[in-house]
Amino acid sequence: MAGHELHHHHHFSLCFCDLMRLLWSLVVPCVYLSLVLTLVLLLLLLGVRMWLQGRRKSRRRAQDGGGGGPAVAFFHPYCNAGGGGERVLWCSLRALMHRYPSVSFVVYTGDQGVTGEQILEGARQRFSITLPRPITFIFLRHRVLVEASSYPHFTLLGQSAGSMFLGWEALTAFVPDLYVDSMGYAFTLPIFRYLGGCKVASYVHYPTVSTDMLSVVRERNPRFNNADFISRNPVLSAVKVVYYCCFALLYGLAGSCSDVIMVNSTWTLGHILALWRSPSRTSVVYPPCDVRAFLDVPLEEEDEDEVEEGWEELGRELGSGEDKDGGGGGDRKCHSIVSVGQFRPEKDHRLQIRAFRKLLDRKGEGPGGRESLRLVLIGGCRNEEDEERVLMLRGLCDELGVSDRVDFKLNVPFEELKRELVDATIGLHTMWNEHFGIGVVECMAAGTIVLAHKSGGPKLDIVVPYEGGQTGFLADSEDGYTAAMETILTLSPSSRLEIRRNARRSVERFSDQEFETCFLAATESLMSKLER
């Protein structure tokens, strides 16, 4: 019996040794193969880098007979959209052009069916911005790769991967000396830095992923980026948390490639510092808001009659003509409530319409009731998806019975935007954790009393007390918005005037001139190296 056990043990030892030999014989070739493939990949990447740098040198030799200057390229696939991000783009270009006359500028855009001249004309009409000299547009053909509609699931990952392919298309079309991501496509940064050999900078409007998004999923709170079927399922919610954590790690690695990092608000700064971990290269540069364009709006009237007369006179000067809204400030017969923001899901226009419907219900019929109120939704449509969203919002207005009191104004020129803000009593904003809120600043500069979401940039940077005085109102629920609008409408003209004065004084720090000064200071270290 003992001999049988000894024989069995000896047989087992032989089998184990054979298994180890087999595994070793497989592992060693795999290790060698991995090393060879890694070396081939590194050589391939080095070859691509040398090829791209050769193209840049050839381009500079071809310019002006060999004396071509450096080139700065902005990656902005939606440069014709007409939103706050586009205002940052055009103001940045204008500031750099004035400061660095020997540098040429390029914009990578995915807009199709328009020419460069039409894009510049759109910027002039919407923002009153004219560039001092020509720029070059590189029209990218595969912008669909960064469209959210292309990725019904794993949208963040899909768009980020798509941005890398779109960035590669941009890099192979034109190799700049300095690359600036002005739309938040962080995964393009390592491509331009390590393959293109470019200096890279980024202006971050909104982190692609944030700790707030993680908390929404953990708490199983349904929102526009957290579907109901996921929020109701604890397993799917846990999987999504893991997915977000892994993505946040990759996002941080990509963003940390940037030589200069600019963020648009205190809220964005906190998240970018937590994710990208580059405090020495990160600074807050508030986005440009055309506050000077609203300085002709009268705020210093002494009594109610003069308030109304001043607003009516300005309305006539700006072309409001028939005065269909019954005048401007004071206790005028008709009050306009204006929302300014692109028609994207996160702007939450549905909340605005529902809160407005409740306000109409509270006001009822008769003088000073339903017929005295009007909601105006002003914004840009980037694509067919945004246009479909507007159709759905119109359908919601029909469903709630408020379509006769709600106006939609799409892609309007700046003068029309200004006219609507001049005529408005309330400026409405409902985006949760808005990174900054240029529309909020414009409303305050125009003398409109702001009602913004109690989160993000509006809460931390904009609708804050000025020298101890109130500058606006904040809310975070449907009932809260309705109650706040009702409060604003019942204020006396003198009380509203005091808030408007405080608000206007407080937003001077968000002017175009302040932005250009801070932007040039942030990028000076990179631009000075280009000119050497």
Side-chain angles (χ1 to χ4, degrees):
M1 188 71 177
H4 177 72
E5 290 179 355
L6 182 62
H7 175 74
H8 179 74
H9 178 73
H10 179 69
H11 179 71
F12 175 78
S13 298
L14 289 174
C15 291
F16 180 75
C17 291
D18 291 340
L19 178 62
M20 292 301 295
R21 290 192 192 98
L22 175 63
L23 291 176
W24 181 253
S25 66
L26 293 175
V27 168
V28 172
C30 288
V31 171
Y32 284 132
L33 181 61
S34 298
L35 291 175
V36 171
L37 290 177
T38 301
L39 181 60
V40 170
L41 179 60
L42 289 175
L43 291 174
L44 178 63
L45 294 177
L46 182 61
V48 170
R49 180 184 171 98
M50 293 177 64
W51 171 65
L52 291 171
Q53 289 183 334
R55 293 191 62 180
R56 177 169 55 223
K57 291 177 181 178
S58 299
R59 181 257 303 167
R60 295 190 67 167
R61 284 196 300 268
Q63 288 178 342
D64 302 325
V72 176
F74 284 76
F75 187 77
H76 209 102
Y78 295 92
C79 74
N80 200 36
E86 287 65 60
R87 185 174 188 85
V88 168
L89 170 68
W90 302 122
C91 283
S92 302
L93 284 166
R94 182 176 61 185
L96 291 172
M97 283 182 173
H98 283 303
R99 181 71 171 270
Y100 304 100
S102 64
V103 177
S104 58
F105 295 90
V106 171
V107 174
Y108 300 115
T109 177
D111 295 299
Q112 299 294 322
V114 292
T115 64
E117 291 76 13
Q118 290 172 327
I119 293 175
L120 293 174
E121 177 61 19
R124 188 192 67 78
Q125 290 184 358
R126 293 170 187 165
F127 306 120
S128 296
I129 295 175
T130 302
L131 299 182
R133 63 178 192 269
I135 62 172
T136 301
F137 287 94
I138 304 294
F139 291 92
L140 307 176
R141 296 173 298 168
H142 300 99
R143 191 177 70 180
V144 66
L145 294 173
V146 297
E147 298 277 0
S149 58
S150 300
Y151 311 99
H153 304 292
F154 299 98
T155 307
L156 292 180
L157 186 61
Q159 286 183 291
S160 298
S163 71
M164 296 177 72
F165 285 102
L166 193 64
W168 173 251
E169 180 188 350
L171 181 58
T172 53
F174 184 89
V175 186
D177 298 278
L178 171 61
Y179 168 77
V180 183
D181 167 38
S182 53
M183 275 204 75
Y185 293 107
F187 287 87
T188 63
L189 298 172
I191 293 176
F192 276 82
R193 177 168 182 170
Y194 296 117
L195 292 183
C198 311
K199 294 294 184 181
V200 294
S202 57
Y203 188 94
V204 184
H205 298 272
Y206 194 84
T208 305
V209 65
S210 67
T211 53
D212 291 324
M213 293 168 65
L214 287 171
S215 66
V216 165
V217 180
R218 284 196 187 101
E219 296 167 7
R220 297 166 61 187
N221 183 10
R223 285 188 182 269
F224 74 91
N225 58 353
N226 193 37
D228 289 343
F229 76 90
I230 293 178
S231 63
R232 288 194 298 262
N233 190 312
V235 176
L236 292 178
S237 293
V239 171
K240 190 167 185 177
V241 168
V242 174
Y243 162 57
Y244 271 6
C245 289
C246 294
F247 182 84
L249 176 62
L250 296 174
Y251 178 64
L253 291 173
S256 63
C257 295
S258 188
D259 296 300
V260 169
I261 304 166
M262 294 166 280
V263 299
N264 67 342
S265 70
T266 303
W267 182 88
T268 306
L269 175 67
H271 288 283
I272 290 300
L273 289 179
L275 293 166
W276 293 12
R277 301 182 184 278
S278 304
S280 61
R281 289 175 277 151
T282 307
S283 59
V284 176
V285 179
Y286 289 126
C289 307
D290 194 9
V291 295
R292 287 195 175 185
F294 299 99
L295 294 181
D296 55 351
V297 178
L299 294 182
E300 305 304 324
E301 294 81 357
E302 296 180 357
D303 58 54
E304 298 180 21
D305 291 335
E306 289 179 358
V307 170
E308 187 159 349
E309 288 172 5
W311 281 86
E312 288 176 349
E313 181 180 351
L314 181 62
R316 286 193 295 271
E317 290 176 357
L318 291 173
S320 56
E322 300 120 11
D323 195 20
K324 64 181 178 181
D325 298 328
D331 71 344
R332 41 191 167 164
K333 295 179 181 179
C334 184
H335 292 280
S336 174
I337 301 169
V338 172
S339 164
V340 180
Q342 289 182 323
F343 287 98
R344 306 201 305 262
E346 61 268 28
K347 297 295 184 180
D348 207 353
H349 290 90
R350 296 175 64 87
L351 174 57
Q352 298 176 6
I353 295 170
R354 292 195 299 267
F356 181 67
R357 187 267 180 95
K358 284 190 175 182
L359 178 64
L360 293 181
D361 290 343
R362 291 189 184 185
K363 286 292 184 178
E365 304 295 338
R370 175 189 179 94
E371 296 302 316
S372 69
L373 300 174
R374 184 171 69 105
L375 175 63
V376 183
L377 304 179
I378 303 174
C381 284
R382 303 165 298 172
N383 47 41
E384 290 183 6
E385 186 179 355
D386 288 352
E387 293 171 0
E388 291 174 1
R389 191 169 295 111
V390 171
L391 292 177
M392 288 189 288
L393 291 173
R394 291 183 186 273
L396 178 62
C397 291
D398 291 334
E399 178 185 335
L400 298 178
V402 298
S403 56
D404 61 321
R405 307 308 305 160
V406 179
D407 295 333
F408 289 83
K409 294 183 179 290
L410 313 181
N411 301 321
V412 300
F414 181 77
E415 284 304 315
E416 186 173 352
L417 167 65
K418 182 178 178 181
R419 184 163 60 245
E420 289 292 346
L421 289 178
V422 164
D423 289 339
T425 302
I426 299 174
L428 194 58
H429 165 276
T430 50
M431 179 177 171
W432 172 72
N433 271 344
E434 169 82 276
H435 38 89
F436 180 71
I438 289 180
V440 176
V441 174
E442 289 177 341
C443 288
M444 295 170 72
T448 302
I449 295 185
V450 162
L451 171 55
H453 199 282
K454 194 176 181 180
S455 64
K459 177 184 177 182
L460 297 175
D461 293 315
I462 304 175
V463 190
V464 295
Y466 176 76
E467 295 182 353
Q470 184 178 4
T471 58
F473 293 78
L474 297 169
D476 56 9
S477 66
E478 190 175 316
D479 289 334
Y481 275 97
T482 303
M485 285 189 285
E486 196 168 26
T487 298
I488 294 170
L489 294 174
T490 56
L491 288 174
S492 66
S494 59
S495 297
R496 288 205 291 265
L497 181 59
E498 182 180 358
I499 295 173
R500 289 162 52 206
R501 285 174 177 166
N502 292 335
R504 169 170 286 183
R505 296 191 193 105
S506 73
V507 298
E508 291 178 359
R509 65 191 188 280
F510 304 129
S511 67
D512 285 3
Q513 294 70 29
E514 191 69 22
F515 167 80
E516 292 182 4
T517 300
C518 295
F519 185 87
L520 290 173
T523 56
E524 185 176 8
S525 60
L526 293 181
M527 295 299 299
S528 59
K529 293 177 182 177
L530 294 185
E531 288 200 314
R532 291 174 187 170

